[in-house]
Amino acid sequence: MRLSPRSPLVLALALAACDLEILDPILTGGNSGHASESGPPAETSTGTTADSDTTAGSTCASNDTCTTYDSDSGAVFVVPPDPPAACDVYSQDCPSGFKCTAEGPPPLDVDSITCSPVVADPDQAGEACQVLVLGHYGPDTCDVGLFCDDVDPQTGTGTCAVMCHDNSGQPQCDADSECFGYHHIPLCVPHCDPLLQDCPAGDSCQYAGVDFVCLEVVALPANQLFEGCGGDWYCAPGLSCVDSEAADECSSGPDGPGCCSPYCDLSAPTCPGLGQQCQPYYDPGQAPPGLENVGVCALP
């Protein structure tokens, strides 16, 4: 996953507002926002415009883009729509045709969460998607309850990931995934087996409190066997960040005081370090179903 639970969601290509590259427009209805090329609105016989929304000093309807006309100066002004109301990403409480998601440039904060229009024929979970403004978190082409994740900063393409939903106050995902709160964008990340490392390319199977889930390797190139680390997310897939005393071969480095050491199978234990043994990863009786044989190589 490109979103990291340990640092703000950051895209490598963060463009300034004046240099945004728009990939595809989103049409939300209402006027185009451009002044008419044929001149100001036609006046009625009483000297007022035919539409009260185009008179001098008028206000426009909420959530719509319109124009105003100053009869004294002849100037035509474009009035942008009011900003969308904040929303709840868990309950997806936006109006029909909108979804609660993140938009705008980094940094990601509560003001980034908004009701965003759902595009026609939106992409579904697991399908390729597009972020419509390079360097921004959104809008994107995913359906309601989905977020365009694992985004290539050069092309704006990614994959639609499922956002956690709220069931009686508890964030929920399906049985094959776990809810992770990614700085206001909670995503359902898949469970995995650290002995199989059965995660998508670019992710590794990392410990997440109780279970193992697929998370992004933050530092690339990833640290290799016995190299220093500050957490599992620094180590290459198949390696866990353990205490540097877990192996005589451990080397210190700028990434932290730990050491990348392999996971191992307690039913067929093998370890690369001199004197290392396959030690149980979980305390007795604490391993989730299917992970009872997970161990990590360390000195006794």
Side-chain angles (χ1 to χ4, degrees):
M1 313 296 291
R2 288 295 178 188
L3 297 180
S4 170
R6 303 165 187 87
S7 60
L9 184 157
V10 177
L11 297 176
L13 184 60
L15 302 180
C18 58
D19 294 323
L20 297 181
E21 181 176 351
I22 307 299
L23 298 181
D24 193 16
I26 292 182
L27 302 180
T28 60
N31 298 327
S32 66
H34 297 288
S36 171
E37 294 181 358
S38 59
E43 292 187 331
T44 65
S45 58
T46 60
T48 61
T49 59
D51 187 344
S52 62
D53 272 355
T54 58
T55 59
S58 67
T59 58
C60 299
S62 177
N63 297 323
D64 195 14
T65 300
C66 59
T67 58
T68 61
Y69 172 57
D70 187 332
S71 58
D72 293 330
S73 65
V76 177
F77 301 94
V78 175
V79 179
D82 293 335
C87 54
D88 186 341
V89 294
Y90 290 100
S91 62
Q92 289 294 323
D93 54 352
C94 292
S96 177
F98 291 79
K99 67 172 183 174
C100 190
T101 187
E103 281 193 8
L108 181 63
D109 56 29
V110 67
D111 293 330
S112 305
I113 308 303
T114 186
C115 289
S116 178
V118 178
V119 300
D121 191 21
D123 301 313
Q124 302 304 309
E127 294 182 350
C129 53
Q130 182 79 47
V131 173
L132 301 178
V133 182
L134 283 179
H136 281 208
Y137 302 120
D140 62 45
T141 59
C142 296
D143 207 348
V144 176
L146 305 176
F147 180 77
C148 195
D149 188 33
D150 199 13
V151 174
D152 184 327
Q154 302 300 321
T155 64
T157 58
T159 303
C160 290
V162 177
M163 301 176 71
C164 310
H165 58 274
D166 190 0
N167 184 10
S168 301
Q170 294 295 323
Q172 299 290 317
C173 293
D174 63 33
D176 295 327
S177 58
E178 191 81 18
C179 182
F180 250 64
Y182 288 96
H183 297 276
H184 309 296
I185 295 294
L187 298 183
C188 293
V189 294
H191 292 144
C192 56
D193 187 329
L195 301 180
L196 300 177
Q197 288 296 318
D198 47 351
C199 292
D203 291 357
S204 68
C205 190
Q206 301 175 23
Y207 181 67
V210 175
D211 210 342
F212 282 84
V213 296
C214 294
L215 295 175
E216 178 192 6
V217 178
V218 174
L220 294 175
N223 293 349
Q224 302 301 311
L225 180 65
F226 301 139
E227 290 184 347
C229 56
D232 285 355
W233 53 97
Y234 285 98
C235 296
L239 302 177
S240 176
C241 188
V242 298
D243 192 284
S244 60
E245 296 179 355
D248 291 334
E249 296 86 351
C250 284
S251 61
S252 60
D255 293 327
C259 172
C260 294
S261 189
Y263 294 105
C264 54
D265 189 339
L266 294 172
S267 64
T270 58
C271 289
L274 182 64
Q276 278 190 322
Q277 297 179 5
C278 188
Q279 308 282 356
Y281 196 88
Y282 293 97
D283 291 332
Q286 299 301 310
L291 300 180
E292 294 87 354
N293 288 333
V294 174
V296 64
C297 290
L299 292 173

